[in-house]
């Protein structure tokens, strides 16, 4: 049933204007992160004027002041007058999520959104018209090999891995605790990238052995840039479509199925099923659509992103259940976490 709008909403479209301007807010936050605004204010430990911020960042005072004012307007920064001078400081949210130094920093996620996703979305009209990703038009990389585009340079690989690391630092604990996985003594995170989700699994299930299986160049980069002291996560290089995957009691596919067309997804799921012993399982982690097609809006946006960047899409739980059943799995359980990503557990 369509929503009935009040006369005031019909007379002046507040919500539409908010949506129209959404990209501007995104770009303000992106720009502030790229310029280092939040890192500077965190280091300063005191309010700074626009002139002081501009001097430290080698930016114009006028432009800096306008940028800072918008960040105040969206409650990311605070503002006060000190001895007649307008000064700016970070909020707790900015210090926790937007500065690089925090353990929960989303800085890498924001940089990837700004420098990779934002340009791709500029070609959204063409993506909808053509029904295919826009890697070639945006970056000059053939659209057929999506990870050739995503990993088109070491710098881009690091950006993507930073994005994945931020995602699981934020959502990993909710995924690790979505089901009781303590019965699975060996877990293999296929396409586990930086190892962030695998580390969350180790924290929750310290008696389990957790292996990240990803492309050799990804494994090398993960161990070089994302390893932690006394890291309990093991890494193994390989291509899960082409190579044998390590034996395990549980295979984790986190943000993997949504990358590919259904025939490739079924190929991978059947391969995992054949590798599983009776009682073994697979954990799918995706942003899952509602069966009603009425949301969640973030999952719908992610699905549109799959159009412009990959060859896949997001699905409702029934579609994942159908694919798992076709691959031979049963006892399918769903957990909606209430966060960005949900989980489905199925066993052999």
């Amino acid at each position: 049933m369509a929503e009935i709008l009040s006369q005031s909403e019909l007379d002046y479209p507040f919500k539409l204007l908010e949506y129209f301007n959404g990209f501007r807010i995104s770009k303000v936050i992106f720009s502030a992160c790229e310029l280092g605004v939040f890192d500077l204010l965190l280091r300063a430990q005191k309010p700074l004027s626009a002139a002081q911020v501009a001097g430290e960042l080698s930016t114009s005072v006028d432009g800096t002041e306008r940028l800072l004012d918008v960040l105040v307007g969206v409650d990311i920064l605070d503002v006060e007058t000190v001895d007649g001078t307008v000064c700016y400081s970070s909020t707790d949210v900015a210090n926790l999520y937007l500065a690089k130094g925090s353990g929960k920093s989303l800085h890498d996620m924001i940089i990837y959104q700004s420098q990779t996703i934002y340009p791709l979305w500029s070609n959204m009209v063409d993506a909808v018209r053509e029904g295919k990703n826009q890697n070639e038009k945006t970056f000059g990389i053939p659209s057929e090999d999506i990870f050739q585009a995503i990993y088109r340079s070491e710098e881009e690989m690091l950006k993507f891995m930073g994005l994945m690391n931020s995602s699981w630092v934020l959502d990993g604990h909710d995924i690790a605790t979505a089901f009781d996985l303590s019965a699975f003594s060996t877990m293999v995170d296929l396409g586990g990238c930086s190892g962030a989700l695998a580390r969350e699994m180790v924290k929750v299930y310290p008696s389990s052995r957790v292996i990240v299986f990803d492309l050799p160049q990804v494994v090398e980069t993960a161990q070089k840039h994302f390893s932690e002291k006394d890291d309990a996560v093991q890494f193994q290089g390989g291509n899960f479509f082409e190579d044998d995957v390590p034996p395990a009691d549980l295979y984790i596919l986190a943000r993997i199925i949504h990358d590919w067309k259904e025939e490739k997804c079924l190929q991978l799921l059947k391969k995992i099923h054949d590798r599983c012993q009776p009682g073994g399982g697979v954990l799918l982690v995706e942003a899952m659509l509602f069966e009603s097609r009425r949301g969640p809006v973030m999952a719908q946006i992610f699905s549109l992103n799959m159009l412009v960047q990959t060859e896949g899409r997001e699905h409702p739980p029934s579609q994942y259940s159908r694919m798992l059943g076709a691959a031979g799995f049963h006892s399918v359980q769903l957990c909606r976490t209430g966060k960005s990503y949900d989980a489905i557990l199925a066993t052999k």
Side-chain angles (χ1 to χ4, degrees):
M1 182 181 295
E3 179 182 1
I4 299 174
L5 300 177
S6 67
Q7 189 59 48
S8 64
E9 290 171 312
L10 291 172
D11 288 342
Y12 197 86
F14 290 100
K15 185 61 71 174
L16 279 178
L17 289 172
E18 180 184 337
Y19 292 157
F20 293 167
N21 284 292
F23 80 95
R24 303 177 199 257
I25 301 298
S26 300
K27 202 59 180 173
V28 164
I29 299 170
F30 295 166
S31 300
C33 276
E34 291 187 58
L35 290 168
V37 169
F38 305 113
D39 303 305
L40 171 62
L41 291 175
L42 178 60
R43 288 196 308 270
Q45 294 293 306
K46 65 177 183 179
L48 299 178
S49 68
Q52 289 173 310
V53 173
E56 291 289 334
L57 301 181
S58 300
T59 55
S60 71
V61 176
D62 181 37
T64 300
E65 183 178 61
R66 298 184 201 209
L67 184 70
L68 295 173
D69 283 342
V70 177
L71 291 167
V72 170
V74 296
D75 298 321
I76 291 177
L77 296 184
D78 283 329
V79 65
E80 61 186 299
T81 300
V82 180
D83 297 329
T85 301
V86 175
C87 293
Y88 303 85
S89 58
S90 280
T91 61
D92 290 341
V93 167
N95 288 336
L96 186 62
Y97 292 112
L98 300 179
K100 288 181 186 177
S102 166
K104 290 190 174 182
S105 176
L106 303 180
H107 182 272
D108 289 345
M109 177 187 290
I110 290 166
I111 295 301
Y112 191 79
Q113 298 278 4
S114 179
Q115 298 180 0
T116 301
I117 302 301
Y118 196 89
L120 280 165
W121 277 61
S122 296
N123 292 312
M124 179 61 70
V125 170
D126 291 327
V128 173
R129 282 184 178 141
E130 300 164 6
K132 67 178 186 179
N133 72 58
Q134 296 299 300
N135 290 314
E136 186 162 11
K137 190 166 294 178
T138 309
F139 304 118
I141 303 294
S143 61
E144 291 77 21
D145 189 340
I146 60 174
F147 277 90
Q148 182 184 345
I150 290 172
Y151 294 153
R152 58 191 178 275
S153 69
E154 183 177 1
E155 181 185 8
E156 291 303 318
M157 180 185 290
L158 276 171
K159 286 180 189 176
F160 180 78
M161 294 178 75
L163 162 74
M164 298 299 291
N165 205 63
S166 294
S167 296
W168 300 129
V169 165
L170 191 64
D171 291 303
H173 180 76
D174 293 284
I175 294 303
T177 57
F179 303 101
D180 180 1
L181 305 176
S182 57
F184 300 109
S185 60
T186 304
M187 305 179 188
V188 172
D189 188 358
L190 296 173
C193 204
S194 68
L197 180 57
R199 291 186 185 94
E200 292 297 325
M201 291 292 179
V202 168
K203 289 177 188 175
V204 177
Y205 307 104
S207 62
S208 295
R209 178 176 175 235
V210 184
I211 302 166
V212 169
F213 186 83
D214 212 319
L215 297 171
Q217 64 267 36
V218 174
V219 167
E220 181 180 353
T221 304
Q223 292 177 314
K224 181 178 179 181
H225 294 279
F226 296 95
S227 62
E228 296 183 357
K229 186 178 180 181
D230 301 323
D231 204 341
V233 173
Q234 301 172 41
F235 286 84
Q236 184 173 330
N239 183 319
F240 52 61
F241 282 117
E242 299 174 2
D243 302 323
D244 289 337
V245 297
D249 302 303
L250 180 72
Y251 291 93
I252 302 167
L253 291 171
R255 296 182 61 175
I256 300 297
I257 294 296
H258 74 173
D259 286 333
W260 312 101
K261 293 178 181 176
E262 183 169 333
E263 54 267 31
K264 290 193 76 170
C265 296
L266 283 172
Q267 174 191 343
L268 179 57
L269 289 172
K270 287 176 180 177
K271 181 176 185 176
I272 293 170
H273 181 268
D274 291 344
R275 197 77 162 108
C276 274
Q277 296 296 317
V282 60
L283 180 71
L284 303 186
V285 182
E286 300 288 359
M288 296 187 195
L289 299 167
F290 293 149
E291 302 290 346
S292 66
R293 307 185 73 87
R294 292 185 177 274
V297 67
M298 189 58 67
Q300 292 167 325
I301 289 171
F302 286 167
S303 193
L304 204 51
N305 191 71
M306 293 299 99
L307 173 65
V308 296
Q309 190 175 23
T310 71
E311 58 182 44
R313 61 181 302 140
E314 309 296 351
H315 302 284
S318 61
Q319 180 71 0
Y320 291 110
S321 295
R322 190 183 64 76
M323 285 193 281
L324 287 164
F329 289 99
H330 58 84
S331 301
V332 178
Q333 303 174 67
L334 166 68
C335 177
R336 287 201 179 271
T337 67
K339 305 290 180 62
S340 295
Y341 300 100
D342 303 311
I344 285 182
L345 177 65
T347 54
K348 181 172 179 179

